[in-house]
Amino acid sequence: MGRSPAGAKQEHLGRVVFITAAAAIGGFLFGYDSAVINGAVVGIQRHFRVGPVTIGFVVAIALLGSAAGAWFAGRLADRWGRIRTMQVAAALFAISSVGQMLPFAIWDLALWRVLAGIAIGMASVIGPAYIAEVAPPAYRGRLGSFQQLAIVLGIAVSQLVNYGIAQWAGGEVNNALGPLQAWQWMLGACLAPALAYLAFALVIPESPRFLIAAGRDERVREVLRQVEGAHVDLDARVAEISAVLRGERRPRLSDLRGPRFGLLPIVWIGVILSVFQQLVGINVIFYYSSVLWQSVGINQADSLLISFSSSIINLVGTLVAIALVDRLGRRPLLLVGSAGMAVSLAVAAWAFSAGRLVEGAVTLPGFQGAVALVAANCFVLFFALSWGVVVWVLLGEIFPNRLRAAALSVAAAAQWLANWLVTVTFPALSEWNLALTYLAYAGFAVLSLLFVLFLVRETKGRALEEMG
């Protein structure tokens, strides 16, 4: 079989990193779109004069679109190819960005957010699958981490852009900047990363495994030479991948059915990993943190600045995970993260329990306010260095080759549905009892630790062809 393709030589890593980073721009869109609404939500609520239930619906409806996009993305990727599917997702997101910037009614804004969600859902499936398929095994964990790194960069950049636009508008997102209000410019700024994603998707190569499945053996040798180097026995690599794919038909969702509870055990592992990633409440921080901090006495401009600082902590944690995921492995990071999140969320719940109604607004005493801020940022840090990165890495590598795209679609759709559930319920739950809401998220963090401890296997250093 020739030399093992355990890793590309250093001279080829630059090309692999470029290809991976380009594909991960879909993750940047995911993060940017997730967090941009954080700055705009107050402006939308005031402009259209809607209550917390309606605004929760508008914020969360994009996630239903994402679930739909993720559900169909695997089949589109197997039919059209990974690259063409990326291009379609980028175009849809660009169109929806303009629509979100210029809504004439709240339902119109909601429809554009559904379209944006579809595009993000597609990108959330294609990115990890493509990166796993082009990355050499020795670097696959770190390169797979690019997806989450791009997500947190997208979150940080959107928070910074939101803060800049708010400051430019005099600290209020409903103030006019030219013909539009500040919150509209926040949503319209999504057009720039969408066009960047489209541009890069036009120049990176197709996945070697898709090319072999499509019978394009000569082209696959060129791609393998780019990502694994000429030192690798290219004929042996093509034969190895072909042996795994030979005789397999295009995967269908029916192929994922198993003897127990409707799905194969490995698919359930992916689904539950995805669901736990959301049920710990991480996106409450990125969708509603400006509202959350305003609700405990912090002004609008400062709340956006605090949201940006959380994004920087998120970025730092992600970089830590990238440095450690191929050294320590996937399971140790998940276990540390679950334990840290559980403690942080429980402390935040205690702090929020001290909230008192003063002149019609909820405020926290000084000490509890400081504790809540530190605990929330510790939660972000523990999530970023574990579940934020590792779940995307695992979803790209735990499924057998013949099922990967279809299984990723189901797992990603489950993730978006869980995200929707948390997002749509938080405004009402926080009005009912903010402390108990955070305590529930802490409970899910404890359950996630037990799940990893007993049911998740380590995948560090294993070739994709060994999976399943």
Side-chain angles (χ1 to χ4, degrees), residues 4 17 147 161 218 228 284 292 296 311 320 345 401 408 428 435:
S4 169
V17 168
Q147 174 80 0
V161 170
E218 287 307 313
E228 296 190 4
V284 165
L292 176 66
V296 294
S311 299
V320 170
L345 287 166
N401 273 319
L408 251 170

Side-chain angles (χ1 to χ4, degrees), residues 143-270:
L143 295 175
S145 303
F146 276 31
Q147 174 80 0
Q148 181 64 16
L149 176 61
I151 291 172
V152 300
L153 282 173
I155 291 171
V157 170
S158 72
Q159 301 283 28
L160 184 59
V161 170
N162 283 353
Y163 177 71
I165 291 174
Q167 291 296 102
W168 191 19
E172 288 291 332
V173 297
N174 289 101
N175 289 348
L177 284 175
L180 305 176
Q181 293 184 4
W183 66 266
Q184 293 176 274
W185 289 113
M186 290 176 180
L187 296 179
C190 297
L191 179 63
L195 293 177
Y197 187 39
L198 179 60
F200 280 107
L202 292 171
V203 299
I204 59 177
E206 183 54 85
S207 156
R209 287 163 180 83
F210 174 79
L211 290 172
I212 289 177
R216 297 166 61 185
D217 288 4
E218 287 307 313
R219 174 59 180 153
V220 81
R221 286 178 173 81
E222 296 176 22
V223 176
L224 287 171
R225 188 177 293 111
Q226 291 179 46
V227 299
E228 296 190 4
H231 70 288
V232 172
D233 187 334
L234 298 178
D235 290 334
R237 282 296 286 136
V238 171
E240 180 182 2
I241 298 171
S242 297
V244 175
L245 298 177
R246 187 180 299 119
E248 294 177 354
R249 54 182 171 79
R250 182 174 289 136
R252 297 176 299 186
L253 293 176
S254 59
D255 296 330
L256 307 182
R257 291 176 184 160
R260 301 183 65 185
F261 308 112
L263 293 174
L264 293 169
I266 192 62
V267 179
W268 275 120
I269 295 294

Side-chain angles (χ1 to χ4, degrees), residues 28-29 52 68 121 148-149 185 192 207 226 229 251 280 287 292 299 304 381 394 401 403 409 414 437 445:
F28 185 94
L29 293 182
Q148 181 64 16
L149 176 61
W185 289 113
S207 156
Q226 291 179 46
V280 295
Y287 294 162
L292 176 66
N299 67 44
L304 290 172
L381 178 64
L394 285 173
N401 273 319
L403 301 177
S409 292
T437 301

Side-chain angles (χ1 to χ4, degrees), residues 72 210 275 322 441:
F72 292 108
F210 174 79
V275 169
I322 290 173
Y441 298 151

Side-chain angles (χ1 to χ4, degrees), residues 363-402:
T363 60
L364 289 180
F367 177 70
Q368 281 87 349
V371 169
L373 184 59
V374 171
N377 283 327
C378 286
F379 165 55
V380 170
L381 178 64
F382 278 109
F383 176 87
L385 62 81
S386 59
W387 283 78
V389 167
V390 177
V391 168
W392 288 109
V393 173
L394 285 173
L395 290 181
E397 61 187 16
I398 62 173
F399 304 119
N401 273 319
R402 63 187 178 85

